[in-house]
């Protein structure tokens, strides 16, 4: 396991963990306010693959407050990581939530580098309600930082599976613990994700698996529209799990991912599993 910092324009650095090996390349991308740490169990379950875990800009050990939070910047970071760390190789990009959106845009922009795309609880339809993004920003801004200790953080944040991931990422500061992300950055980031990207989706040439959880954030109409607009997409619905199914439906999620990776994706992209 080797850690890297890939340097990007405007002084931004992107932290990457390379699990090594000579197998097919898989890049894992976390969701909003997450980090690569929460996808490490998924990475370790992918025996025989060379897995790269990225902290996206504004998250984890990457630059905390980058100036450019456009979707183009996020996708370009993925391309830069591929070109620097696995030059000449093709990769499968897998992302959860916001990370799925990043992976999709990177695959759409550079299909010459990408041989497969896996989207866990991700979508491209955006949101017409600006209060959704501002609500997320207000929520993160409401955290009474710094937390005195882990117990205080858990008392405020609750017991959802994502809380374990957040707490594991907390950094020590003067007076207590703080998350490795900024509330305003999270709001600006998700505002860009909420812009619909149907054009890129319909033109996407990369074999794609869309995975949804039984108790995830998308309605049946949302899921159906994603497939209707790109019928070649393989869809799998997990029997259980939340939006963070990589945490609370781990075994089912990993089996789904491994099954898809191990089969010819050009054939798999024409099927739909429910």
């Amino acid at each position: 396991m080797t850690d890297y910092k890939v340097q990007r324009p405007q002084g931004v650095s992107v932290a990457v963990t390379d699990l090594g090996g000579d197998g097919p390349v898989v890049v894992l991308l976390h969701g909003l306010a997450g980090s690569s740490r929460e996808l490490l169990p998924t990475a370790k379950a992918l025996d025989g693959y060379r897995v790269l875990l990225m902290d996206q800009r504004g998250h984890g050990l990457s630059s905390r407050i980058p100036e450019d939070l456009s979707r183009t910047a996020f996708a370009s970071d993925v391309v830069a990581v591929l070109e620097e760390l696995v030059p000449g190789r093709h990769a499968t990009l897998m992302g959860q939530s916001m990370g799925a959106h990043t992976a999709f845009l990177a695959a759409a922009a550079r299909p010459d580098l990408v041989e497969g795309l896996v989207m866990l609880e991700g979508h491209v339809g955006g949101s017409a309600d600006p209060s959704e993004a501002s609500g997320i920003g207000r929520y993160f801004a409401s955290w009474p930082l710094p937390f005195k200790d882990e117990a205080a953080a858990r008392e405020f944040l609750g017991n959802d599976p994502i809380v374990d991931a957040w707490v594991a990422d907390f950094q020590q500061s003067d007076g207590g613990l703080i998350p490795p992300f900024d509330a305003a950055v999270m709001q600006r980031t998700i505002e860009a994700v909420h812009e619909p990207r149907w054009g890129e989706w319909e033109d996407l040439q990369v074999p794609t698996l869309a995975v949804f959880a039984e108790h995830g954030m998308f309605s049946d109409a949302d899921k159906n529209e994603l497939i209707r607009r790109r019928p070649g997409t393989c869809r799998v619905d997990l029997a259980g799990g939340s939006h963070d199914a990589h945490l609370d439906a781990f075994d089912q999620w990993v089996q789904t991912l491994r099954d898809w990776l191990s089969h010819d994706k050009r054939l798999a992209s024409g099927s739909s599993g429910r």
Side-chain angles (χ1 to χ4, degrees), residues 4 22 43 51 64 66 72 107 130 169-170 185 199 221 238 249 273:
Y4 296 96
D22 298 321
V51 183
R64 180 184 177 90
T72 298
D169 277 338
F170 279 162
V185 168
L238 303 179

Side-chain angles (χ1 to χ4, degrees), residues 1 19 28 35-47 51 53 165 246-247 250-251 253-254 257-258:
M1 187 181 297
L19 270 63
L28 304 185
S35 80
S36 60
R37 183 197 301 264
E38 70 192 65
L39 287 167
L40 188 57
T42 295
K44 290 182 175 178
L46 297 179
D47 299 332
V51 183
L53 296 126
H246 61 298
L247 302 176
F250 178 78
D251 291 343
W253 151 242
V254 164
L257 177 60
R258 287 186 60 89

Side-chain angles (χ1 to χ4, degrees), residues 19-141:
L19 270 63
D22 298 321
V25 177
V26 179
V27 179
L28 304 185
L29 298 164
H30 59 81
L32 186 78
S35 80
S36 60
R37 183 197 301 264
E38 70 192 65
L39 287 167
L40 188 57
T42 295
K44 290 182 175 178
L46 297 179
D47 299 332
Y49 294 87
R50 181 174 177 183
V51 183
L52 305 179
L53 296 126
M54 284 181 58
D55 282 340
Q56 296 178 80
R57 57 176 56 211
H59 297 76
L61 299 179
S62 294
S63 295
R64 180 184 177 90
I65 308 181
E67 180 179 345
D68 189 351
L69 291 169
S70 67
R71 293 278 75 208
T72 298
F74 277 80
S76 296
D77 289 343
V78 177
V79 172
V81 167
L82 293 176
E83 292 181 331
E84 181 168 329
L85 299 185
V86 286
R89 302 286 303 276
H90 292 85
T92 295
L93 306 182
M94 174 268 142
Q96 184 262 342
S97 193
M98 182 270 290
H101 197 271
T102 302
F104 145 66
L105 290 177
R110 293 296 303 272
D112 57 310
L113 298 178
V114 179
E115 64 181 2
L117 170 66
V118 181
M119 300 169 62
L120 173 61
E121 279 288 303
H123 210 280
V124 308
S127 172
D129 183 358
S131 68
E132 289 187 22
S134 60
I136 289 171
R138 285 194 301 273
Y139 169 65
F140 288 125

